[in-house]
Amino acid sequence: NVHASQCTPEQRILVLRSISHELFLRSAHMRALIGYFKTERQRSEIFIIFYLRIVDMHNAKMFRVRFENVAEVTKLQERLGYATIFPFFQPEN
């Protein structure tokens, strides 16, 4: 359990990075995982590590709401690329 671990948040991120190639996440998992970390830097690292491992990108709005600060979103866009992080388009009609 990531949340109940005795490791520091930085150690958790290192472990998650080392096994990330083995995991695929749903948007709900990503939302929960981001919620386990308190600082902007930690949340950003988790986002960068797992963003391209999400299998239901059409539900990205579930975890995107974890990033309220415009500056934080801009940094993510710069790190991943604007086209990569462009919101999934869902026409309503």
Side-chain angles (χ1 to χ4, degrees), residues 9-51:
E10 288 73 22
Q11 291 171 330
R12 292 178 196 169
I13 291 170
L14 287 174
V15 169
L16 288 169
R17 183 182 300 276
S18 72
I19 63 168
S20 65
H21 67 282
E22 300 284 344
L23 303 174
F24 290 96
L25 302 178
R26 290 189 352 234
S27 293
H29 296 138
M30 180 69 138
R31 179 183 170 99
L33 193 56
I34 291 170
Y36 293 150
F37 297 92
K38 294 181 182 178
T39 70
E40 177 183 319
R41 190 191 65 72
Q42 293 166 352
R43 287 191 307 271
S44 295
E45 284 302 313
I46 291 300
F47 184 86
I48 297 296
I49 292 167
F50 289 107
Y51 185 74

Side-chain angles (χ1 to χ4, degrees), residues 3 8 27 39 45 56-57 61:
H3 190 5
T8 66
S27 293
T39 70
E45 284 302 313
D56 62 339
M57 195 56 75
K61 59 187 167 235

